[in-house]
Amino acid sequence: MMLIGDPVYKSMKIILLLSILQYLHLAYGSVNRCGSPTLQRCFCGHQFFDDKSMFVVNCTGLGFKNADMLNELTEDTEMLVFTGNHIGTLPSNVFGEGRNMTKLRIIDMSNNGIHDVKGKAFHHVVGVTRLILNHNNISISSEEERNFHHPRVFSNFFNLEELHLTNAFADNTDATLADDLHDIFVNSNLTKLYKLHLEQNEIKNFKDDRVFCDLPNLHDIYLGNNNIPSLNFNITCLPKLRYLDLERNNITKFSQQDLDRFDRLAYPYRSINNNLTLDIDGNPFRCDTAIKNLYNWLHKTNVIIRDKDTLQCHQTKYGTKYIMNLKNLAESKHAKISQALTILLVILVLILLTLLGAYAYLKKGSMRGRFSPLLEAVSRKVHYNKIESQDV
Ligand SMILES: *[C@@H]1O[C@H](CO)[C@@H](O)[C@H](O)[C@H]1NC(C)=O
Ligand SMILES: *[C@@H]1O[C@H](CO)[C@@H](O)[C@H](O)[C@H]1NC(C)=O
Ligand SMILES: *[C@@H]1O[C@H](CO)[C@@H](O)[C@H](O)[C@H]1NC(C)=O
Ligand SMILES: *[C@@H]1O[C@H](CO)[C@@H](O)[C@H](O)[C@H]1NC(C)=O
Ligand SMILES: *[C@@H]1O[C@H](CO)[C@@H](O)[C@H](O)[C@H]1NC(C)=O
Ligand SMILES: *[C@@H]1O[C@H](CO)[C@@H](O)[C@H](O)[C@H]1NC(C)=O
Ligand SMILES: *[C@@H]1O[C@H](CO)[C@@H](O)[C@H](O)[C@H]1NC(C)=O
């Protein structure tokens, strides 16, 4: 039996104390790496990301209710992952007044229930190449400086290459959002922006069809899972456009003009290895005359169409069809038409014959009179022929 005051018990107590101290030391070390006690629950340290070792501060799912602790973010931070909290408002100068986050490359603030982005929220972020604000609830209002409407919200991101705004906005804001997007892009001078994600934002129409025209380096536009009804924005002004995602929108058809515009972004208008890639799967295309246009285009265009073979069109009469197999539909339609024409022709011929018969019957008397010498001559000749042949 072990007793209190036992030397074994004493040594265990010492070991326990030592391990607590060691734990505290580790925790203290972590605080140091994060540079601040307010960030101590975050992971701070080097991590491989995109084949590079980066100093990462990762504050995922820590229940933060505001972003105040980001004032204390060390200037060594190269990647900030601040996701799954609930901060509501992104204040002005998120990283603190007069601080210089020149090493920061990636900011991920997804899934934080952000509804307000204050003007000048991001300052001194010249090095940031990727900003991720997916799955937030950002609202649009006409009150300047109050929230995302602030048209210069991304204006300090001189080197931004990727902007991720998938499901970033509050529902039912599509109209105002689409109105504001162009203002935001015009005023933000995002001359290096390469990739733009705007999926799942209920976008229908853009107030200005030149909405993306002020993003001269734009290569990839992701607009999947919106409610866009047609090619209602200018793509001709984007000489570098390489990938356009229009998956699962509300497009029923493309006009010939639209198809020509796509073609202009592929060989021979562009170099042979620079063909546009287009994703139009999951749209409610109609199996009508316009689809024949699309069918023909799909078979001859140099634009690369993702999932070309599973593209479908719908019509109550024909159900759902694979557009690439539409030939059958077109052929059977042709067949039906020619069948109908044949029947019509037969009927017409029958009518004609009947009419001729009736005419002949009515004019029987006069006809017999007129033709009888001829008929007699013929029958006589037949008669002679018969006799002759019998002679042989
Ligand atoms: C950040 O931390 C969370 C959980 O702690 C982890 O799931 C996630 O992968 C981390 N992110 C990065 C980029 O390391
Ligand atoms: C930020 O740091 C860069 C270089 O590290 C320097 O050129 C720049 O002037 C600094 N800006 C501010 C506002 O401190
Ligand atoms: C988003 O914001 C609206 C009000 O702007 C609110 O009604 C809604 O509950 C919010 N949704 C989430 C998921 O936070
Ligand atoms: C836009 O940014 C470029 C550098 O990226 C700069 O030269 C130009 O002056 C800026 N234009 C405006 C209007 O801020
Ligand atoms: C799209 O923009 C280009 C370049 O600015 C312009 O030439 C063209 O006319 C525009 N197209 C439409 C349909 O507005
Ligand atoms: C999709 O387009 C149809 C008309 O083609 C329209 O009736 C419908 O409201 C649109 N759906 C959405 C979600 O915009
Ligand atoms: C672009 O299209 C041309 C013509 O169809 C084709 O020869 C070429 O291989 C395509 N380029 C790529 C990278 O697919």
Side-chain angles (χ1 to χ4, degrees):
M1 254 239 143
M2 214 197 280
L3 294 166
I4 303 197
D6 193 305
V8 179
Y9 179 79
K10 266 187 189 162
S11 61
M12 276 181 74
K13 224 161 83 176
I14 288 165
I15 288 168
L16 195 68
L17 262 173
L18 277 176
S19 55
I20 287 170
L21 277 176
Q22 197 176 7
Y23 174 78
L24 282 176
H25 177 74
L26 275 177
Y28 185 68
S30 162
V31 167
N32 269 347
R33 299 210 73 185
C34 283
S36 158
T38 56
L39 288 163
Q40 90 181 60
R41 285 156 66 217
C42 305
F43 166 85
C44 299
H46 277 91
Q47 217 173 315
F48 267 93
F49 199 81
D50 281 359
D51 299 327
K52 283 190 290 270
S53 172
M54 296 186 119
F55 188 83
V56 176
V57 174
N58 185 346
C59 310
T60 293
L62 297 178
F64 288 126
K65 294 276 184 285
N66 59 52
D68 294 351
M69 75 296 303
L70 296 181
N71 274 302
E72 311 263 309
L73 199 64
T74 164
E75 290 184 6
D76 286 333
T77 309
E78 292 171 290
M79 175 169 168
L80 169 66
V81 183
F82 187 94
T83 64
N85 298 294
H86 202 94
I87 60 175
T89 299
L90 209 52
S92 296
N93 287 307
V94 178
F95 302 120
E97 200 76 48
R99 295 180 74 238
N100 198 349
M101 305 300 295
T102 42
K103 291 189 179 167
L104 202 53
R105 294 289 171 272
I106 300 176
I107 300 175
D108 183 353
M109 289 198 156
S110 300
N111 200 18
N112 281 318
I114 298 170
H115 50 78
D116 276 357
V117 180
K118 299 283 189 200
K120 303 194 181 104
F122 298 103
H123 250 204
H124 306 303
V125 286
V126 284
V128 172
T129 55
R130 189 181 308 168
L131 174 64
I132 308 171
L133 288 169
N134 297 340
H135 307 297
N136 279 297
N137 197 11
I138 301 167
S139 66
I140 311 273
S141 105
S142 49
E143 289 172 63
E144 278 262 357
E145 296 284 317
R146 213 192 125 238
N147 57 26
F148 198 77
H149 184 80
H150 181 67
R152 296 175 66 89
V153 68
F154 300 126
S155 62
N156 296 301
F157 291 91
F158 298 115
N159 287 302
L160 199 65
E161 290 168 10
E162 289 185 26
L163 180 54
H164 296 249
L165 295 169
T166 299
N167 187 28
F169 302 96
D171 290 351
N172 306 315
T173 56
D174 68 286
T176 9
L177 164 66
D179 284 357
D180 282 5
L181 276 177
H182 193 203
D183 285 352
I184 289 164
F185 296 146
V186 167
N187 286 293
S188 296
N189 197 13
L190 299 171
T191 50
K192 296 194 178 165
L193 196 70
Y194 194 96
K195 207 178 261 216
L196 176 61
H197 285 268
L198 282 168
E199 297 104 318
Q200 301 173 37
N201 283 311
E202 303 184 27
I203 297 170
K204 275 186 200 159
N205 296 297
F206 299 100
K207 181 177 76 176
D208 185 347
D209 69 351
R210 299 180 58 79
V211 53
F212 303 118
C213 291
D214 292 279
L215 304 169
N217 194 41
L218 202 54
H219 281 66
D220 304 339
I221 307 180
Y222 296 82
L223 285 166
N225 291 293
N226 282 293
N227 296 327
I228 296 170
S230 62
L231 185 64
N232 56 9
F233 54 93
N234 193 326
I235 53 167
T236 315
C237 62
L238 296 168
K240 300 198 174 159
L241 189 63
R242 178 184 72 166
Y243 175 63
L244 178 58
D245 165 28
L246 287 169
E247 256 187 304
R248 291 188 283 282
N249 273 278
N250 200 14
I251 301 168
T252 51
K253 64 177 181 186
F254 286 115
S255 68
Q256 187 57 48
Q257 226 173 9
D258 296 338
L259 301 177
D260 292 344
R261 281 180 194 133
F262 290 137
D263 274 337
R264 297 222 160 234
L265 300 178
Y267 181 81
Y269 300 97
R270 275 188 175 179
S271 66
I272 200 147
N273 48 19
N274 208 10
N275 300 329
L276 174 74
T277 299
L278 190 60
D279 207 330
I280 52 173
D281 208 10
N283 278 290
F285 290 113
R286 312 287 304 163
C287 303
D288 57 15
T289 41
I291 211 70
K292 258 191 211 166
N293 238 3
L294 185 61
Y295 166 86
N296 289 327
W297 181 77
L298 286 172
H299 281 83
K300 67 169 207 284
T301 184
N302 293 329
V303 174
I304 300 159
I305 319 289
R306 285 251 174 101
D307 300 320
K308 198 192 262 195
D309 292 328
T310 59
L311 280 183
Q312 296 186 326
C313 66
H314 316 268
Q315 195 169 54
T316 24
K317 199 166 155 197
Y318 301 109
T320 298
K321 298 268 179 191
Y322 290 116
I323 297 177
M324 291 302 281
N325 294 338
L326 267 190
K327 211 169 185 173
N328 307 333
L329 178 72
E331 266 176 3
S332 67
K333 234 182 184 173
H334 271 152
K336 269 180 200 159
I337 288 169
S338 60
Q339 207 180 338
L341 280 177
T342 312
I343 290 170
L344 193 67
L345 206 65
V346 167
I347 290 171
L348 283 175
V349 166
L350 284 177
I351 290 172
L352 194 68
L353 285 176
T354 315
L355 284 174
L356 277 175
Y359 179 80
Y361 179 78
L362 286 174
K363 297 278 174 169
K364 208 160 69 183
S366 61
M367 231 186 219
R368 191 175 283 162
R370 201 179 295 162
F371 288 114
S372 51
L374 185 70
L375 279 174
E376 265 165 41
V378 169
S379 57
R380 220 179 289 137
K381 194 168 182 202
V382 168
H383 193 69
Y384 295 149
N385 279 351
K386 260 188 189 157
I387 294 165
E388 273 165 28
S389 58
Q390 274 167 4
D391 283 350
V392 173

